[in-house]
Amino acid sequence: MPAPAPSHPRPRPRHLRPIAALLTTGLLVSACGTDDPGDAPRAASVIDEERCETNAAAGTITYITGYHYQASVTQLEVIAADGLDLFDALCLDVEIQPGNGDVMGNAQLVSAGTAHFTPTSNEAEVLQANERDHEVIGIATYGHVPISSLLTGTGIEDLTELEGQTLGHQSMIPAPLEAMLVSAGVDVDSIEQVEAGYDPSILPRDQVQALTGFRSNEPHQLDAMDEDYTEWLPEDFGVVGSFGVMATNPEWAEEHPTVVEDFLRAIAKAFEHCTENGEECVQYAADLDEAGFDTEHNLKVWNTERELVGASTPDDQPNGYIDLGMTEQEGQTLLDNGALDNLPDLEPLFEPRYLEAVHVATEVVWPVEE
């Protein structure tokens, strides 16, 4: 089992917003009512000292990012929730550790109980993790469209032209992209697949003829280099997908339900805040990064992904909702690609009740002053 990523020093943010200061310590709405059906919900009861003590008794809660401190959905909200003291307001002690892009390695750590939360790139990776005996469950899915895209040179006009060529990926080819290639009639086995890291300049240098990436990341980098490329999107080939999935250990979640709920509550509130205050939230991530941080690029990452979340979330659903019908379609791509022998029972692997517990309709239920 790989060792957890080292914890970097965590300097406090320079400019804290007054959100936490507006909260009454220990108060948390746990139910709502209305004086009139047309009125907005009002607080009917609050968290008591027992819930606060229960959360605190869980001890240090370790969250491992998917990739360093990049401002991706299900990463930036966690970093911002810490910077805004939202976890503290809910009596949670959260430690953020930077991951290195090894999604399955992170899932293994969560399964083993070494860490408690980690994002996955999509719901398919939750299925793949469990196939490898890494017991994790998805508790929130923010994006309901594939975040992965395939980049090629402009000379590629049909994906079948990649046969016999070299395709670079970060750790494995994402399931939506493999499904796209299959849908396009490509003999995937004829493509040489290599682990290529996170430098997209290898594509214009022709070190690879195709490169997997995230539509919020590599295209922005290539644009900044003034390089020409073609971006291929899975949904254009009828492939469904997801992104921004928060995962946890199912046994640990059962033992600590209020912790899971309130972790999701804090990041949901942070998501709302960062939607309107992206530059501030990206700065929290920059404050944690010791190796240099491209603030301008990361703001583009955040804005691209949170816009995709908004566009793919129905008006009557909260951010992070789980749609098992879409999950089944995404899982079917793994069957079609041979990545799974059988589609497992999905309900035990995706648990929406924690997210549902922190929303009234689409609104985050948050601490209020009495």
Side-chain angles (χ1 to χ4, degrees):
M1 176 170 59
S7 177
H8 287 185
R10 301 168 60 207
R12 299 306 303 166
R14 301 190 193 99
H15 304 292
L16 289 179
R17 299 283 293 188
I19 288 182
L22 297 177
L23 310 180
T24 301
T25 303
L27 297 183
L28 181 64
V29 179
S30 60
C32 293
T34 57
D35 293 320
D36 181 270
D39 292 341
R42 60 177 177 80
S45 60
V46 296
I47 191 173
D48 54 17
E49 185 177 349
E50 180 181 358
R51 180 166 180 138
C52 182
E53 291 177 351
T54 298
N55 285 352
T60 301
I61 300 153
T62 302
Y63 164 84
I64 300 183
T65 72
Y67 184 66
H68 299 289
Y69 297 109
Q70 183 167 281
S72 296
V73 165
T74 60
Q75 287 198 176
L76 187 63
E77 309 99 294
V78 179
I79 294 168
D82 185 52
L84 293 162
D85 287 343
L86 301 183
F87 291 131
D88 290 346
L90 305 179
C91 308
L92 299 176
D93 177 19
V94 176
E95 178 182 12
I96 299 172
Q97 295 186 358
N100 62 3
D102 183 359
V103 174
M104 290 301 148
N106 289 352
Q108 186 177 11
L109 292 173
V110 170
S111 176
T114 306
H116 304 102
F117 296 100
T118 194
T120 68
S121 301
N122 49 51
E123 291 182 333
E125 289 177 349
V126 173
L127 303 183
Q128 290 171 302
N130 280 274
E131 179 77 0
R132 301 182 186 189
D133 295 324
H134 306 329
E135 294 185 4
V136 297
I137 57 171
I139 52 174
T141 299
Y142 275 77
H144 298 272
V145 64
I147 192 66
S148 302
S149 65
L150 185 69
L151 307 177
T152 69
T154 55
I156 299 294
E157 297 181 354
D158 189 286
L159 288 175
T160 57
E161 297 174 35
L162 293 177
E163 294 176 354
Q165 305 288 337
T166 301
L167 180 151
H169 57 72
Q170 283 75 41
S171 59
M172 62 182 181
I173 183 169
L177 298 187
E178 187 165 358
M180 177 181 70
L181 292 171
V182 171
S183 179
V186 178
D187 179 4
V188 178
D189 291 338
S190 72
I191 299 176
E192 181 183 2
Q193 297 185 32
V194 298
E195 192 162 340
Y198 289 86
D199 178 7
S201 69
I202 64 173
L203 180 67
R205 294 200 304 265
D206 203 36
Q207 293 177 258
V208 297
Q209 288 70 57
L211 182 67
T212 68
F214 298 93
R215 67 180 72 185
S216 58
N217 189 41
E218 285 82 0
H220 292 310
Q221 292 178 305
L222 289 174
D223 289 342
M225 299 173 195
D226 200 26
E227 297 286 358
D228 294 327
Y229 61 92
T230 299
E231 184 175 22
W232 305 79
L233 301 178
E235 62 264 35
D236 293 339
F237 292 80
V239 177
V240 301
S242 58
F243 73 93
V245 179
M246 187 63 73
T248 190
N249 179 301
E251 287 190 18
W252 184 83
E254 284 288 342
E255 293 172 2
H256 304 281
T258 64
V259 173
V260 177
E261 290 174 8
D262 292 341
F263 181 85
L264 290 177
R265 191 188 310 275
I267 67 172
K269 194 66 176 177
F271 187 99
E272 290 183 351
H273 182 78
C274 295
T275 296
E276 301 297 329
N277 303 276
E279 290 185 8
E280 175 195 354
C281 292
V282 168
Q283 186 58 49
Y284 293 141
D287 288 343
L288 294 180
D289 197 304
E290 294 183 320
F293 190 87
D294 188 337
T295 301
E296 181 179 356
H297 172 72
N298 275 277
L299 184 57
K300 291 177 182 177
V301 171
W302 169 249
N303 284 332
T304 299
E305 294 194 9
R306 58 104 177 156
E307 288 170 4
L308 285 171
V309 170
S312 64
T313 302
D315 291 340
D316 62 348
Q317 295 289 344
N319 291 330
Y321 85 104
I322 293 171
D323 184 335
L324 288 183
M326 294 183 68
T327 307
E328 183 175 7
Q329 294 180 59
E330 189 170 344
Q332 186 64 43
T333 66
L334 297 178
L335 287 178
D336 295 341
N337 300 341
L340 286 179
D341 294 329
N342 297 287
L343 189 64
D345 184 5
L346 298 177
E347 286 194 12
L349 301 182
F350 296 91
E351 180 51 79
R353 63 185 170 94
Y354 300 110
L355 186 80
E356 292 170 354
V358 304
H359 287 84
V360 172
T362 62
E363 299 298 318
V364 183
V365 182
W366 187 251
V368 295
E369 291 185 79
E370 288 197 321

